Amino acid sequence: MRTSRNYFSSIKKGILAVIVLSGSSVFAQAPQPPVVQTVSFRSDTINIVNHGAKGDGHFLNTTAINKAIEQSSLQGGGVVLVPSGLWLTGPIILKSNVNLHLKRDAILFFTDDFDQYKLIAANWEGQPAWRNQSPISGTDLTNIAITGSGVIDGNGDAWRMVKKSKLTDSQWKNLVNSGGVVDKSNQIWYPSEKSLAGSKDKKAGVMTAGTSSSDYEHIKDFLRPNLLVLTNCKKVLLEGVTIQNSPAWNLHPLLCEDLTLRRLLVRNPWYGQNGDGVDIESCKNVLIEDCTFDVGDDGICIKSGRDKSGRERGKPTENVLIRNNVVYHAHGGFVIGSEMSGGAKNIWVQDCSFIGTDIGLRFKTKRGRGGTVENIFIENINMIDIPGEAILFDMYYEAVDPVPMAGERREKVKAEKIPVTEETPQFKNFHIKNVFVNGAEKGIFFRGLPEMNIQDITIEKVTIQAKKGIDIIEASNIKLKDITIFSKETTPVVHIENAQNIVFENLKYQDDATLLFDLYGENSKNIQVIKTDVNKAKTISKIASGLSKSVLKIKK
């Protein structure tokens, strides 16, 4: 692992930081940091076969597997072994001090009989909600693990709705002929009438006073579970296994502490709505390393609750190290938000590759969320074939796919300044270094709020080949140093709108660019360009009427 002591030691002394230890590796900054504690188990092993399990893909093993786990925990813990076989099962409930271990040729395959999954009080996208019981879950546990090299398959196709636009004509016809129902527009397929009914409720399943699970039975099939949900657990290890085909998010640790994800393969079909890889929500002391993600929504995502419920919970995700991971298809490679109302801080992302992710580094929020995201340190990131932005900060997030489909039109955001309240989100103090991108729609994009700019961002030593260059909108105190942006479209290379205190140092760009900078917005001021050959551009700048020419300062 490459360390970054010189780089990170330059960060302000007042920033709270953390050291996370894993073996002999250290990614450090600050005295007396927390450590990600590891699990430890007794060697005692219980084979699920001893409780009557049958690996024939037909026998339902729910009772046998849960009995094995319960017995192991009651005896002080140990290993529960899932041997070779195809193990059909309903929901599995983990217990403290138990390591559920899957052999290489073992498949845990979850039943498509929805009656096996009870409607329970849970959490959906950062809010308390009624959902179907997760295939694997654990609450208030200590010292738990899922290890091995087998496969955990959530049978998600039985649950998920599918958009026609994401399939070929042949795939769509086969899906419709398989059963289920199609909406009136003939654009979305649903696995059942209950699922379709749920789609018509904008807040389906969200808990309201005086309701119970029985009030949601008519839309039960729509309330898809996340595959693996761990709530308020301490000392957790997920290692080696393949986790795939979830009804919704694959992995959802919530309010957990001392969490390690290592050498996982996490998969969902690219058309799988809400098919995130991992969503770390309101967790503390987390290590994610050597994992591979190929999913239908965000790959590695940081969250902390949604709107008022997230702010009232008041638990940020903090002290996180993410390193040596690969993300293939996803809506974002590394993502924070948009449900980040409890905040996020002290997060390091290092030595990761994003291959074909819709967006590379994706930071998203919106008015109403509140919460502060700060002290984020990212370096050594490689990307290829990014359909959207390589680096994106967006405070106008809407719940739509980040890359428009062919023919899709999206209206331009209307900027309006409103008072700052507890519902106003903040992005600040990000440090991004050593990012290399071959192929993106746009290089770097900032879009803050008029009342709350994106602020205090440093990006340095970045090389990007993209169709479009850099947009900086409603941002302040931004430093871009040693940036090389080779964009096909150069009218302009850099667009600036209502931004202040922006510094470009050693900016390199396409030879004979048509226009290097255009500047708009009455609030734009103090744009500095240092150590940059601006004369390679046919036109250096276009400054909107009403702005002083002095807004742009070019220095040798």
Side-chain angles (χ1 to χ4, degrees):
M1 182 184 91
R2 292 187 298 237
T3 58
S4 307
R5 296 181 185 278
N6 292 336
Y7 171 54
F8 290 116
S9 64
S10 67
I11 307 304
K12 297 176 183 178
K13 293 181 180 180
I15 296 174
L16 176 63
V18 32
I19 291 176
V20 184
L21 301 180
S22 176
S24 60
S25 298
V26 180
F27 192 28
Q29 185 192 19
Q32 300 181 345
V35 174
V36 176
Q37 299 183 44
T38 58
V39 294
S40 177
F41 302 98
R42 298 171 61 198
S43 59
D44 295 23
T45 299
I46 297 176
N47 192 318
I48 61 171
V49 172
N50 296 337
H51 282 272
K54 298 178 182 179
D56 60 6
H58 175 73
F59 182 79
L60 191 65
N61 292 286
T62 314
T63 300
I65 295 172
N66 282 307
K67 280 185 176 180
I69 292 171
E70 186 173 5
Q71 179 186 347
S72 177
S73 182
L74 289 173
Q75 293 177 351
V79 177
V80 169
L81 177 65
V82 181
S84 171
L86 177 54
W87 308 94
L88 182 67
T89 182
I92 293 172
I93 300 174
L94 302 177
K95 300 290 185 180
S96 292
N97 300 312
V98 173
N99 174 10
L100 184 65
H101 184 84
L102 281 71
K103 287 290 189 179
R104 174 68 178 173
D105 50 354
I107 301 176
L108 273 179
F109 186 59
F110 287 90
T111 179
D112 60 2
D113 178 2
F114 292 175
D115 291 339
Q116 299 296 319
Y117 304 86
K118 299 177 181 178
L119 276 181
I120 62 170
N123 190 281
W124 175 251
E125 294 188 335
Q127 293 181 304
W130 294 100
R131 307 301 296 182
N132 281 281
Q133 183 180 3
S134 288
I136 302 178
S137 64
T139 303
D140 299 330
L141 306 180
T142 301
N143 194 45
I144 58 173
I146 299 176
T147 63
S149 52
V151 176
I152 298 172
D153 190 299
N155 206 354
D157 285 324
W159 296 86
R160 286 189 297 262
M161 65 288 293
V162 180
K163 294 179 180 179
K164 182 179 182 180
S165 59
K166 293 191 174 185
L167 301 180
T168 66
D169 289 343
S170 178
Q171 289 171 331
W172 176 253
K173 289 177 182 178
N174 288 337
L175 181 62
V176 172
N177 290 335
S178 70
V181 293
V182 178
D183 68 348
K184 290 183 179 179
S185 67
N186 196 40
Q187 294 301 309
I188 304 177
W189 174 90
Y190 293 86
S192 69
E193 290 285 357
K194 283 187 176 182
S195 181
L196 175 59
S199 70
K200 299 174 183 178
D201 185 344
K202 290 185 178 180
K203 293 187 176 181
V206 174
M207 287 187 178
T208 56
T211 61
S212 66
S213 61
S214 61
D215 295 310
Y216 298 90
E217 281 293 335
H218 66 293
I219 59 169
K220 180 178 185 296
D221 298 1
F222 182 77
L223 305 177
R224 295 170 291 146
N226 298 329
L227 201 165
L228 190 156
V229 175
L230 301 174
T231 306
N232 198 34
C233 295
K234 296 182 178 181
K235 293 175 64 176
V236 178
L237 172 66
L238 304 176
E239 183 175 44
V241 295
T242 295
I243 299 173
Q244 67 177 33
N245 200 14
S246 173
W249 298 350
N250 272 294
L251 304 173
H252 183 203
L254 171 64
L255 293 164
C256 291
E257 188 170 340
D258 294 311
L259 170 69
T260 299
L261 278 62
R262 182 180 293 123
R263 294 192 298 277
L264 299 176
L265 173 58
V266 182
R267 304 170 65 240
N268 255 349
W270 83 275
Y271 57 78
Q273 291 182 230
N274 311 109
D276 298 30
V278 58
D279 293 272
I280 306 295
E281 183 173 350
S282 296
C283 293
K284 183 177 182 180
N285 302 341
V286 180
L287 173 63
I288 303 176
E289 64 178 356
D290 302 321
C291 296
T292 301
F293 299 86
D294 192 347
V295 295
D297 209 305
D298 290 327
I300 303 169
C301 192
I302 303 296
K303 297 182 182 290
S304 60
R306 180 171 182 161
D307 299 343
K308 183 179 179 181
S309 61
R311 295 193 299 272
E312 290 178 345
R313 181 200 294 164
K315 294 288 186 180
T317 290
E318 59 183 320
N319 303 349
V320 179
L321 172 57
I322 297 168
R323 65 185 179 197
N324 301 324
N325 301 289
V326 177
V327 182
Y328 291 95
H329 183 271
H331 284 180
F334 172 69
V335 183
I336 301 178
S338 71
E339 303 92 4
M340 36 60 70
S341 302
K345 60 184 179 180
N346 308 329
I347 298 172
W348 285 259
V349 182
Q350 184 183 40
D351 298 310
C352 292
S353 296
F354 305 146
I355 301 171
T357 58
D358 287 350
I359 295 173
L361 298 169
R362 186 185 191 198
F363 311 112
K364 54 181 178 173
T365 187
K366 61 182 294 186
R367 290 181 174 124
R369 294 284 190 261
T372 299
V373 177
E374 60 184 339
N375 306 343
I376 312 299
F377 310 106
I378 300 171
E379 80 169 333
N380 303 333
I381 307 296
N382 303 309
M383 309 183 202
I384 60 174
D385 299 332
I386 306 299
E389 293 84 357
I391 301 173
L392 175 140
F393 294 80
D394 191 4
M395 302 184 82
Y396 285 90
Y397 170 75
E398 295 296 334
V400 296
D401 289 356
V403 178
M405 301 297 290
E408 182 181 353
R409 294 184 180 180
R410 295 184 181 177
E411 293 185 7
K412 186 177 180 181
V413 168
K414 296 180 181 179
E416 178 186 5
K417 189 173 183 177
I418 66 174
V420 173
T421 69
E422 65 177 6
E423 296 183 354
T424 307
Q426 295 186 59
F427 284 149
K428 63 181 182 178
N429 198 33
F430 283 64
H431 301 266
I432 300 173
K433 182 178 181 181
N434 294 340
V435 177
F436 307 104
V437 183
N438 190 317
E441 175 67 17
K442 182 172 289 184
I444 301 172
F445 181 82
F446 293 87
R447 184 166 62 185
L449 300 170
E451 69 273 15
M452 182 59 67
N453 283 190
I454 296 164
Q455 55 191 307
D456 301 326
I457 310 294
T458 299
I459 302 178
E460 60 179 303
K461 294 185 178 179
V462 170
T463 298
I464 300 175
Q465 297 183 53
K467 182 179 178 181
K468 301 175 183 178
I470 300 171
D471 283 2
I472 303 177
I473 304 167
E474 303 289 1
S476 58
N477 301 326
I478 309 296
K479 183 172 184 180
L480 301 177
K481 180 180 179 182
D482 298 328
I483 306 297
T484 299
I485 180 78
F486 295 125
S487 57
K488 293 180 180 179
E489 296 182 9
T490 59
T491 311
V493 176
V494 180
H495 171 77
I496 296 173
E497 186 174 338
N498 286 321
Q500 311 90 40
N501 304 323
I502 312 298
V503 177
F504 295 89
E505 182 176 341
N506 191 26
L507 174 65
K508 297 180 181 179
Y509 54 93
Q510 197 78 23
D511 289 347
D512 297 320
T514 304
L515 174 63
L516 184 53
F517 295 98
D518 70 356
L519 289 87
Y520 291 84
E522 61 183 9
N523 294 319
S524 288
K525 62 182 179 180
N526 193 26
I527 313 301
Q528 299 184 44
V529 182
I530 304 170
K531 298 179 181 179
T532 296
D533 183 0
V534 297
N535 295 314
K536 291 196 309 177
K538 294 177 181 178
T539 303
I540 296 173
S541 64
K542 177 183 176 182
I543 299 176
S545 60
L547 280 178
S548 169
K549 299 293 184 183
S550 64
V551 69
L552 180 65
K553 301 173 183 179
I554 300 173
K555 302 178 182 179
K556 293 184 179 179

